[in-house]
Each structure stands twice: as structure tokens, then as C-alpha cells.
């Protein structure tokens, strides 16, 4: 019996629990296994770049024939969901994605589905989102590592505000409105 990792990139395929999720995975895509056990394993998927710049868009592989649901930002403060079956269905600014692997026979002949989560994370000065392209590739978009962007410390009074406070003002944020909201 051969024991293999639950998540791997081999021969240009991202394979999770024996099911191919992405094909055509480029050589610069790197997989680092997480420390989970059993069915709750995970991995960090990243990419290497030949040079440093403020915006990187890396193809991660081709998604075809698998159902997915994702949440994407369609306005500055709002997200909504979309479903699809291929990479070109993945909208810009995707923040979270669940991919359903193909059915297979489980114990007792029952059909089983697995859901796989893609969650872009922050790293250093970069923020990350997912997006699709016309080649059905899922891309990870990393941006904001520009050296010209200054890192500033936010005033501590901003810790008092939650999403609800800011959402209440939409684009009409004024000093008077915020002050009134605090009363």
C-alpha cells in the first residue's frame, strides 16, 4: 500500500483526496501542505515570480466540469454569490470559492461528493483575490506590494467602528455623520 498526501500537485494536476480539481497547473505554482489530519487537511497554494512588482496575476490551473459556488465583491462594501462549472465563470474579486468534486462510490455503494475550499489570503503587503479568464483558468491576483505605498498607522479611535457604522453611511461619510452616529 502506498500512502500519498491528500493534496498534491503532480503532472500539472491539483489533486485533492484522489480527485483532480485543476489541470494545467503551471510549474511556478507551489503547494505547501498544512498540518491538518484526516479529512480536514489543507494546503497553502502559492506561486513564485521572476521579479518583484505591485501587481501579480498567476494562473493556478484550468477548472472545467466541476460545479462551484463563490462569493465575490461586486461593489466596494458588498459581496454576492455566483455558481458555475468552469474557470471563465469565476468573477473578478472572488473572495471565497467552494468546488464540488465529481461523485464517486463511497461505502456501501453510496454516491459521495466532496467540497474543496479556495480562500485567498493576505501575505505581507499583498492582498489576494481569485478570478477566472477566457482559457477557463483560475487566477490568483496579488496586489499592493508597491514600495511607493507608505504603511501608515491608523488612529486608535477607528477601532470603535464596525462594518455596520460604515455601511450606514455608504459613500456619504462625513465627520458630522460619524459624530452623530457615536452619540
Amino acid at each position: 500500500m502506498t500512502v500519498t498526501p491528500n493534496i498534491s500537485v503532480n503532472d500539472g494536476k491539483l489533486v485533492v483526496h484522489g480527485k483532480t480539481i485543476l489541470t494545467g497547473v503551471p510549474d511556478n505554482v507551489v503547494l505547501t501542505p498544512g498540518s491538518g489530519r484526516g479529512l480536514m487537511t489543507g494546503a497553502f497554494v502559492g506561486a513564485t515570480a521572476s521579479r518583484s512588482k505591485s501587481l501579480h496575476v498567476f494562473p493556478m490551473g484550468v477548472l472545467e466540469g466541476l460545479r462551484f459556488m463563490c462569493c465575490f465583491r461586486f461593489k466596494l462594501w458588498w459581496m454576492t454569490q455566483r455558481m458555475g462549472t468552469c474557470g471563465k465563470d469565476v468573477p473578478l474579486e472572488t473572495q471565497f470559492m467552494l468546488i464540488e468534486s465529481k461523485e464517486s462510490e463511497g461505502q456501501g455503494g453510496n454516491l459521495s461528493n466532496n467540497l474543496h475550499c479556495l480562500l485567498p489570503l493576505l501575505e505581507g503587503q499583498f492582498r489576494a483575490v481569485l478570478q477566472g479568464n477566457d482559457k477557463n483558468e483560475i487566477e490568483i491576483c496579488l496586489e499592493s506590494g508597491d514600495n511607493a505605498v507608505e504603511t501608515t498607522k491608523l488612529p486608535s479611535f477607528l477601532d470603535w467602528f464596525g462594518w455596520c457604522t460604515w455601511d450606514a453611511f455608504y459613500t456619504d461619510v462625513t465627520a458630522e455623520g460619524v459624530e452623530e452616529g457615536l452619540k
Side-chain angles (χ1 to χ4, degrees), residues 102-118:
K102 294 181 179 177
E103 296 180 347
S104 64
E105 283 200 29
Q107 293 179 346
N110 296 327
L111 294 178
S112 67
N113 290 339
N114 287 325
L115 294 175
H116 313 285
C117 176
L118 295 181

Side-chain angles (χ1 to χ4, degrees), residues 72-80 167 170:
F72 69 100
R73 191 171 75 164
F74 73 101
K75 290 192 178 183
L76 186 58
W77 297 296
W78 301 103
M79 288 197 319
T80 190
D167 285 350
Y170 298 99

Side-chain angles (χ1 to χ4, degrees), residues 5 43-45 47 52 54 60 98 108 124-125 143 151:
F44 295 96
V45 179
S52 180
S54 62
M60 293 174 51
L98 285 176
Q125 294 181 339
E143 61 183 328
T151 305

Side-chain angles (χ1 to χ4, degrees), residues 124-145:
Q125 294 181 339
F126 286 91
R127 77 178 194 101
V129 294
L130 299 173
Q131 61 191 31
N133 67 25
D134 289 337
K135 300 176 194 172
N136 281 334
E137 293 172 321
I138 293 180
E139 298 173 329
I140 186 161
C141 177
L142 305 168
E143 61 183 328
S144 183

Side-chain angles (χ1 to χ4, degrees), residues 120-179:
L121 299 174
L122 300 172
E123 167 132 7
Q125 294 181 339
F126 286 91
R127 77 178 194 101
V129 294
L130 299 173
Q131 61 191 31
N133 67 25
D134 289 337
K135 300 176 194 172
N136 281 334
E137 293 172 321
I138 293 180
E139 298 173 329
I140 186 161
C141 177
L142 305 168
E143 61 183 328
S144 183
D146 190 74
N147 290 336
V149 177
E150 291 183 35
T151 305
T152 59
K153 184 171 172 33
L154 296 176
S156 62
F157 70 83
L158 290 178
D159 293 337
W160 300 343
F161 298 111
W163 285 107
C164 295
T165 305
W166 287 109
D167 285 350
F169 296 110
Y170 298 99
T171 59
D172 260 352
V173 178
T174 63
E176 295 80 22
V178 171
E179 188 175 50

